[in-house]
């Protein structure tokens, strides 16, 4: 790939909002060095990030913060620094990867609804927070939809377990904001542009691939990790998130994950 | 039955709130003369109502109103007036009887919940009114529980159809007011008193029976027709309404419906 095309692809993928460096580094490790024992050397990390506009000093500061937060450990080997995920960083990274790299979000055939007694709004908010962690969808105050069979021990709730009919269009607006939807459409358009008008995926340079993957995964990661973790079917027939996930999958297939040893 | 016992029973059944006469007459016709062609003569109606404290003039005014409202028609046969339900009065009376004389309110095994998009409260109120007519239970704004399978054509609603778990205690408070519950407990206590301490059901006099039935049915009718028409199971384990219905049933069995020809 010509340098001009490569930089053009990076410019298009970055858009108006250059990613935060510490967060971008988390993405790079999650994409390339999530395996037990995987490490990325200082120079390689710098080679991946430099084309994205990350200066060495900024990278050093970000790595310092990631070490302080327990995400990264750095080990000196001779004159070279080797960075790797900590065990807790790896655990968090693995959990996020399940959402980032998933091909689909299928649904269990069974669904259930929980209905609680009318409550004060503070009480309801704290219940919504707890049930949100368990991936329930809040449909109305005190009313929650869950996929799968209900846990039998739900204190004080009326529980209906069964099959879901067709999903009305308004449910999407409960699940995501207009800003989220528009960011998803943006990423679809960006990837379409790179795949067709710009030869953005047309490279075999492993470092270029690593840089491009970092940007693509990073943009998708910021979107997908903020979506409610619920089956696709709840978003209706023409769910842009499903399309975006397919486009991201195709892009990552066109830019196959480099082996760390080749970088 | 001694006159004193009879009047005592009437006093206890009437309590502090003597029934409205026109409404009491509707009860009497629903209880004794709902059959096609059934009629009650003026003197017999007067004999049934007089012990309840209804004066002839009050009865005449009430009958006049019931004729004007299309409930009753009166026909002269010789010097005697014969009163009967109009076809529309009979239709309404039959519909009410299904609720008044029912032994149980069983539930279909299937239930469904409808969830509508968040709406303005005026919009939601009018939806609640429409769905209330179809015996849906409003659980939260835009959320309704129905017994049986869902009608497939419910525009804009998320529909979950399935089985209901155990019913939480708070649901009763959604279904009835404390005043309704206390009126039901009152009637249970009254019927218990008549059955045990006062020989209130101990008569074979057909006119006395007609008067006592009128009061019992009337009190129950005022309660049961204001309850939401939903299966008993939604009111929880120790539903006083179920007990009250059983007590009313036992009382009416102890005072078997007189044949009009014997009055």
């Amino acid at each position: 790939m010509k340098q001009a095309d490569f930089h053009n692809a990076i410019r298009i993928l970055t858009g108006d909002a250059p990613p935060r460096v510490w967060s971008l580094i988390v993405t790079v490790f999650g994409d390339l060095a999530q395996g037990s024992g995987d490490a990325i050397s200082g120079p390689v990390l710098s080679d991946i990030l430099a084309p994205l506009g990350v200066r060495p000093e900024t990278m050093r500061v970000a790595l310092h913060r990631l070490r302080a937060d327990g995400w990264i450990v750095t080990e000196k080997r001779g004159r070279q620094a080797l960075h790797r995920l900590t065990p807790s960083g790896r655990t968090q990274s693995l959990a996020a990867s399940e959402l980032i790299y998933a091909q689909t979000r299928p649904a269990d055939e069974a669904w259930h609804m929980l209905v609680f007694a009318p409550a004060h709004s503070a009480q309801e908010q704290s219940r919504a927070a707890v049930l949100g962690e368990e991936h329930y969808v809040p449909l109305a105050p005190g009313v929650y939809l869950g996929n799968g069979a209900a846990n039998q021990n739900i204190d004080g709730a009326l529980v209906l377990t069964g099959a879901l009919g067709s999903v009305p269009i308004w449910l999407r607006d409960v699940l995501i904001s207009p800003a989220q939807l528009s960011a998803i459409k943006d990423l679809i358009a960006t990837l379409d542009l790179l795949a067709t008008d710009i030869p953005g995926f047309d490279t075999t340079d492993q470092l270029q691939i690593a840089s491009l993957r970092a940007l693509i995964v990073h943009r998708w990661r910021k979107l997908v990790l903020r979506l409610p973790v619920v089956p696709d079917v709840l978003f209706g027939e023409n769910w842009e998130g499903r399309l975006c996930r397919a486009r991201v999958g195709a892009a990552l297939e066109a830019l196959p994950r480099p082996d760390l040893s080749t970088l």
Side-chain angles (χ1 to χ4, degrees), chain A residues 20-21 23 35 38 46 74 86 101 110 126 142 157 163 219 233 236 240 244 250:
Chain A
R20 292 189 188 168
V21 176
S23 173
D38 285 352
S46 176
T74 300
T86 61
Y101 298 98
S126 82
R219 276 190 65 172
V233 66
E240 289 84 352
C244 192

Side-chain angles (χ1 to χ4, degrees), chain A residues 67-263:
Chain A
R67 278 190 294 270
D69 289 352
W71 269 94
I72 294 277
V73 282
T74 300
E75 166 193 343
K76 292 272 178 191
R77 189 162 295 175
R79 289 186 53 193
Q80 208 174 47
L82 279 182
H83 310 290
R84 61 181 92 237
L85 289 170
T86 61
S88 106
R90 205 169 148 247
T91 303
Q92 289 178 72
S93 186
L94 284 165
S97 289
E98 275 184 35
L99 298 170
I100 296 167
Y101 298 98
Q103 293 297 306
T104 56
R105 289 221 190 139
D108 191 301
E109 253 185 59
W111 294 81
H112 65 280
M113 220 157 337
L114 306 181
V115 183
F116 292 91
H120 296 300
S121 76
Q123 212 178 339
E124 200 53 58
Q125 271 173 25
S126 82
R127 174 150 54 213
V130 171
L131 291 174
E133 291 286 317
E134 300 175 34
H135 312 319
Y136 278 94
V137 177
L139 294 174
V143 181
Y144 300 87
L145 176 67
N147 189 223
N151 175 340
Q152 283 308 300
N153 301 313
I154 297 159
D155 224 26
L158 183 72
V159 185
L160 181 67
T161 305
L164 207 61
S166 64
V167 171
I169 192 73
W170 58 262
L171 189 57
R172 175 181 307 193
D173 302 334
V174 172
L175 295 169
I176 57 167
S177 68
Q180 284 178 297
L181 189 57
S182 121
I184 286 172
K185 288 179 179 169
D186 253 22
L187 182 51
I188 293 171
T190 298
L191 294 176
D192 282 349
L193 187 65
L194 286 179
T196 55
D197 299 349
I198 313 272
F201 303 153
D202 183 19
T203 176
T204 53
D205 182 313
Q206 298 298 293
L207 273 173
Q208 284 188 348
I209 288 178
S211 299
L212 292 170
R213 283 182 66 95
L215 280 181
I216 293 167
V217 172
H218 194 72
R219 276 190 65 172
W220 173 236
R221 173 175 170 259
K222 276 178 16 189
L223 297 176
V224 74
L225 294 187
R226 278 168 201 161
L227 288 178
V229 181
V230 300
D232 280 330
V233 66
L234 291 189
F235 291 89
E237 297 264 320
N238 302 305
W239 166 219
E240 289 84 352
R242 190 190 273 138
L243 184 62
C244 192
R245 191 191 294 122
R247 289 287 194 279
V248 169
L252 297 182
E253 217 167 285
L255 299 165
R257 179 182 280 125
D259 193 301
L260 277 180
S261 63
T262 67
L263 297 177

Side-chain angles (χ1 to χ4, degrees), chain A residues 43-54:
Chain A
V44 167
L45 189 59
S46 176
D47 285 348
I48 295 171
L49 297 178
L52 312 183
V54 178

